[in-house]
Amino acid sequence: MKRILVIEDDLGIVKLVREYLERAGYEALAASDGAAGLARAVSDSPDLVVLDLGLPGMDGLDVARELRRRSQVPLIMLTARGEEADRIVGLELGADDYVVKPFSPKELVARVRSVLRRVDASGNAAAEQVHRALDVSLDISRMRTLRGDQVIDLTAAEFQLLLVLVRQPGRIFTRAQLLEALHGVAFESYERAIDTHIKNLRRKLEPDPHQPRYVLTVYGVGYRFADE
């Protein structure tokens, strides 16, 4: 049973989300503030964290920042409708997805399933375990990325995004196609999140993120991985 940690100070939302997660077959844990949530994330080893950005005291962005220093656990953010800047910062910190309040609990459960499915698919692929392009290799069974001999630490979303590109070097993917690969369905309003994931990916993968050698922009269309 997958364990989901919900860090949210609104007890009504916590109760509703836990009920839907448990109906879907997950074990649901909860914390009502940032410090307690961070402590549970470290001590209870959840499979995924749902994190509200608008927490009292230690806010959600600080929790996400500290969590990413310690772990690559999949992370879904909850944000208020007008907090686009916070959503972008959260994605830059390594969040895998976000859901805007007010939200449907069914949508959140669907997002949880989608993120966990990406992680499981990356870890359980039985056919070709390692994909290579140029000097970049992705080991699916270990969810490990190498550039030459250097290990590159990626979030689940960044790994899956790079895997899509590396599997077909030279092919141009639109943002909608990449988003569909990540979430299983294309949401036009979320396409900007792809640009943020690409920015994070380049920052980790590229020797010079401002002059990328691997993940290339095709202006007006999308992105491709450099071919030979």
Side-chain angles (χ1 to χ4, degrees):
M1 182 182 291
K2 298 285 188 181
R3 181 179 295 177
I4 313 300
L5 172 61
V6 181
I7 308 176
E8 165 66 64
D9 64 313
D10 187 321
L11 298 183
I13 291 177
V14 170
K15 181 179 178 181
L16 187 62
V17 168
R18 289 188 69 170
E19 180 180 334
Y20 272 79
L21 287 171
E22 288 168 358
R23 280 187 201 166
Y26 299 110
E27 179 184 355
L29 311 175
S32 60
D33 62 68
L38 184 60
R40 292 210 71 171
V42 172
S43 65
D44 294 341
S45 301
D47 296 286
L48 182 144
V49 174
V50 176
L51 173 65
D52 179 27
L53 292 190
L55 294 169
M58 185 180 190
D59 70 20
L61 292 176
D62 288 335
V63 174
R65 190 175 290 109
E66 185 61 30
L67 191 57
R68 275 293 168 259
R69 289 196 188 104
R70 306 185 187 196
S71 168
Q72 292 299 313
V73 63
L75 177 63
I76 297 177
M77 302 178 301
L78 301 178
T79 74
R81 186 172 299 278
E83 295 175 339
E84 182 178 9
D86 283 349
R87 292 198 292 273
I88 298 301
V89 172
L91 290 169
E92 289 176 344
L93 289 175
D96 295 276
D97 202 355
Y98 64 86
V99 175
V100 179
K101 293 180 177 180
F103 60 88
S104 160
K106 290 182 179 179
E107 179 192 359
L108 178 59
V109 171
R111 295 299 180 105
V112 167
R113 282 202 188 102
S114 178
V115 171
L116 290 175
R117 194 161 49 236
R118 293 202 307 263
V119 175
D120 290 343
S122 297
N124 296 329
E128 193 174 354
Q129 295 291 327
V130 179
H131 292 265
R132 296 183 177 88
L134 301 180
D135 63 341
V136 174
S137 61
L138 284 78
D139 185 336
I140 296 176
S141 64
R142 300 168 67 184
M143 213 175 151
R144 188 174 78 158
T145 303
L146 294 174
R147 188 191 68 215
D149 295 327
Q150 180 183 355
V151 177
I152 309 295
D153 291 324
L154 302 178
T155 66
E158 292 159 2
F159 184 90
Q160 184 65 22
L161 188 60
L162 182 59
L163 180 61
V164 171
L165 295 168
V166 163
R167 275 175 169 161
Q168 299 184 66
R171 175 182 167 180
I172 301 170
F173 289 87
T174 66
R175 289 171 178 81
Q177 288 171 329
L178 291 173
L179 191 65
E180 187 170 358
L182 291 186
H183 299 297
V185 60
F187 292 95
E188 184 177 351
S189 61
Y190 288 87
E191 287 186 16
R192 186 174 175 185
I194 291 295
D195 294 332
T196 303
H197 284 312
I198 291 288
K199 178 182 176 182
N200 292 340
L201 180 57
R202 283 174 170 163
R203 178 170 49 81
K204 298 175 181 180
L205 179 68
E206 303 282 356
D208 181 358
H210 300 293
Q211 297 184 15
R213 293 168 41 195
Y214 300 102
V215 179
L216 306 179
T217 300
V218 182
Y219 291 99
V221 184
Y223 298 97
R224 68 180 179 89
F225 194 89
D227 52 15
E228 298 294 340

